[in-house]
């Protein structure tokens, strides 16, 4: 079968299920900004349908969706250049999601480690949506025929599933319709760890607020959290190999490198030999310098929620120009009777 050429197109999403963390910023949003440009069409999404796989207070969901949109824009996503949407306004995501529920196999879904982590011991009480979540995620991506998906390390398995779903659909229906999406998991901070425990991911759901930096934290909070971050007693090494078996040290150096657009080796060339007592204030200053303009701009944008709603509505109109024909063709391939003039 001849290989179809797909338009270079980037899609990624974030759940509006709470505040944004430094992990979301460095692992995802900052990378989204980097990928804007002439090389790709870029589509970025607030995945509100994914968020309700666990309980969301309705008023909080509305606010968090707008705040996430403000975060995207404040960090440098240009709503003219990129398409910014909330998932529920583009119904083709959920429609293709259903088709993919019928393509994905139970065995594949049961292997998803995020479901196991999130459902925990109480899997019987988890929503059906939480279990089916990765099939909807595959639909988010493939309903645009997206070719590249920038994400943090924790989404890798879901992107492998997306490729499996695309391949099975193409194989079962004898078509070359859905692309094999490339995960883009790059940079120094693909997995930002908790500030309290270098073996745990920095997460908005961590019970301790000291474990994470929130994008809305003020300068004092950021400095305090970095000052109190767990470390070891040794000085920083001069080369990356010296960070082996030092997860907390590695995490702080990774954060520094990602914030400053440097490699880990470049950072260590400058700070190797320093004690944490000296390095932590440098990191705090850098974090405040990079993050405060973003949080300031987020707050300013949140003063005008009607403008955010207009941006999302306009984004979904543009998105549907791409998604409607792809869903229509999917239904034709599957054999659904299409509407006719009556
Ligand atoms: P979510 O909302 O949990 O996280 C959004 C993005 O932030 C990244 N991330 C991190 N990166 C580095 N270090 C961390 N500590 C960290 N925490 C979060 C995540 O890897 C992700 O890129 N299933 C997705 C949302 C989604 C999606 C999609 C993503 C739905 N449909 C389609 C891409 C394409 C999620 O729950 O991300």
């Amino acid at each position: 079968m001849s290989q179809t050429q797909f338009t270079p197109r980037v899609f990624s999403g974030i759940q509006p299920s709470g505040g944004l963390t430094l992990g979301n910023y460095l692992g995802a949003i900052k990378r989204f900004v980097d990928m804007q440009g002439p090389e790709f069409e870029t589509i970025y999404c607030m995945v509100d349908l994914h968020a309700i796989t666990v309980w969301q207070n309705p008023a909080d969901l509305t606010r968090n969706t707008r705040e996430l949109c403000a975060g995207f824009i404040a960090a440098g996503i240009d709503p003219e250049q990129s398409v910014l949407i909330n998932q529920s306004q583009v119904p083709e995501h959920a429609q293709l999601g259903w088709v993919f529920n019928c393509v994905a196999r139970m065995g594949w879904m049961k292997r998803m480690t995020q479901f196991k982590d999130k459902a925990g011991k109480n899997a019987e009480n988890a929503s059906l949506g939480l279990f089916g979540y990765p099939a909807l995620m595959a639909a988010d991506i493939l309903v645009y025929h997206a070719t590249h998906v920038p994400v943090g390390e924790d989404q890798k398995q879901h992107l492998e599933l997306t490729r499996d779903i695309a391949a099975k659909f193409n194989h079962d229906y004898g078509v070359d319709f859905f692309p094999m999406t490339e995960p883009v998991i790059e940079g120094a901070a693909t997995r930002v760890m908790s500030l309290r425990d270098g073996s745990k991911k920095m997460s908005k759901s961590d019970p301790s607020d000291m474990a994470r930096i929130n994008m809305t934290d003020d300068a004092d909070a950021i400095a305090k959290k970095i000052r109190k971050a767990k470390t070891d007693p040794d000085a920083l090494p001069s080369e990356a190999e010296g960070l082996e078996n030092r997860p907390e040290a590695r995490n702080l150096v990774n954060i520094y490198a990602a914030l400053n657009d440097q490699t880990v080796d470049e950072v260590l060339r400058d700070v190797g030999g320093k004690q944490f007592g000296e390095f932590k204030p440098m990191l705090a200053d850098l974090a405040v310098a990079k993050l405060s303009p973003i949080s300031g701009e987020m707050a300013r944008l949140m003063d005008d929620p009607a403008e955010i709603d207009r941006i999302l509505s306009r984004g979904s109109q543009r998105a549907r120009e791409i998604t409607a024909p792809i869903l229509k063709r999917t239904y034709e391939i599957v054999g659904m009777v299409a509407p006719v003039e009556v």
Side-chain angles (χ1 to χ4, degrees):
M1 209 181 320
S2 72
Q3 271 307 109
T4 310
Q5 283 300 312
F6 293 97
T7 309
R9 193 175 277 154
V10 170
F11 178 93
S12 199
I14 298 189
Q15 297 194 60
S17 53
L20 278 171
T21 68
L22 182 66
N24 297 132
Y25 175 63
L26 294 178
I29 300 184
K30 192 165 184 296
R31 312 300 326 291
F32 301 173
V33 177
D34 294 341
M35 292 188 91
Q36 272 188 147
E39 209 187 323
F40 294 108
E41 285 180 25
T42 41
I43 301 137
Y44 298 122
C45 183
M46 285 114 252
V47 290
D48 47 11
L49 297 174
H50 276 114
I52 61 164
T53 56
V54 298
W55 169 250
Q56 302 293 324
N57 173 288
D60 291 347
L61 180 63
T62 308
R63 189 179 191 287
N64 287 335
T65 304
R66 291 187 180 128
E67 191 177 81
L68 179 53
C69 186
F72 277 116
I73 297 169
I77 304 288
D78 172 359
E80 293 301 318
Q81 196 177 354
S82 294
V83 174
L84 270 180
I85 53 167
N86 60 312
Q87 191 183 24
S88 57
Q89 281 199 57
V90 183
E92 290 79 13
H93 287 238
Q95 290 174 293
L96 186 63
W98 180 259
V99 176
F100 286 173
N101 280 344
C102 303
V103 173
R105 305 288 92 184
M106 289 292 285
W108 301 357
M109 306 302 281
K110 282 187 184 157
R111 284 196 285 275
M112 294 294 117
T113 54
Q114 269 214 346
F115 175 76
K116 291 183 210 162
D117 290 349
K118 283 198 179 177
K121 291 192 190 73
N122 212 4
E124 288 295 309
N125 199 33
S127 73
L128 186 54
L130 189 66
F131 186 67
Y133 176 119
L136 178 60
M137 177 163 163
D140 296 336
I141 296 165
L142 294 172
V143 80
Y144 296 89
H145 279 183
T147 53
H148 294 77
V149 183
V151 284
E153 175 74 39
D154 60 343
Q155 297 300 315
K156 193 167 178 227
Q157 195 186 31
H158 290 160
L159 295 186
E160 283 159 7
L161 182 90
T162 301
R163 291 165 69 98
D164 289 343
I165 289 176
K168 180 162 166 60
F169 182 98
N170 288 348
H171 175 267
D172 289 354
Y173 291 101
V175 291
D176 184 19
F177 185 59
F178 287 116
M180 286 299 125
T181 302
E182 287 298 328
V184 184
I185 304 174
E186 287 170 4
T190 55
R191 190 169 174 81
V192 178
M193 309 309 279
S194 153
L195 298 179
R196 311 299 291 170
D197 176 351
S199 68
K200 263 172 55 186
K201 193 182 73 166
M202 182 182 286
S203 158
K204 54 190 142 198
S205 55
D206 196 306
S208 165
D209 194 54
M210 291 300 284
R212 66 180 156 261
I213 292 175
N214 306 297
M215 291 305 285
T216 47
D217 283 345
D218 62 21
D220 287 347
I222 293 175
K224 181 172 168 207
K225 287 176 181 181
I226 292 178
R227 195 169 61 242
K228 299 222 161 188
K230 186 175 167 202
T231 44
D232 56 43
D234 296 338
L236 282 160
S238 303
E239 277 151 27
E241 294 84 77
L243 292 172
E244 248 165 71
N245 301 321
R246 298 180 65 187
E248 284 85 13
R250 179 204 300 268
N251 189 37
L252 295 187
V253 173
N254 282 349
I255 292 173
Y256 191 100
L259 282 170
N260 217 22
D261 292 308
Q262 286 181 298
T263 64
V264 166
D265 279 316
E266 282 166 351
V267 173
L268 292 178
R269 221 170 291 147
D270 295 339
V271 303
K274 286 193 197 303
Q275 295 291 337
F276 281 102
E278 204 178 336
F279 178 64
K280 280 180 167 179
M282 287 173 66
L283 177 58
D285 286 349
L286 176 66
V288 170
K290 297 284 180 178
L291 302 181
S292 328
I294 300 177
S295 60
E297 181 63 5
M298 273 172 83
R300 195 188 67 75
L301 291 164
M302 282 299 280
D303 280 343
D304 189 0
E307 176 58 15
I308 293 182
D309 292 2
R310 279 191 292 274
I311 289 169
L312 292 174
S313 298
R314 173 80 193 111
S316 56
Q317 282 170 1
R318 288 167 67 197
R320 295 195 73 190
E321 287 168 17
I322 304 173
T323 57
I326 290 177
L327 183 78
K328 182 166 178 278
R329 180 69 194 122
T330 308
Y331 277 1
E332 273 168 21
I333 292 170
V334 171
M336 306 292 186
V337 174
V340 292
E341 292 280 332
V342 282

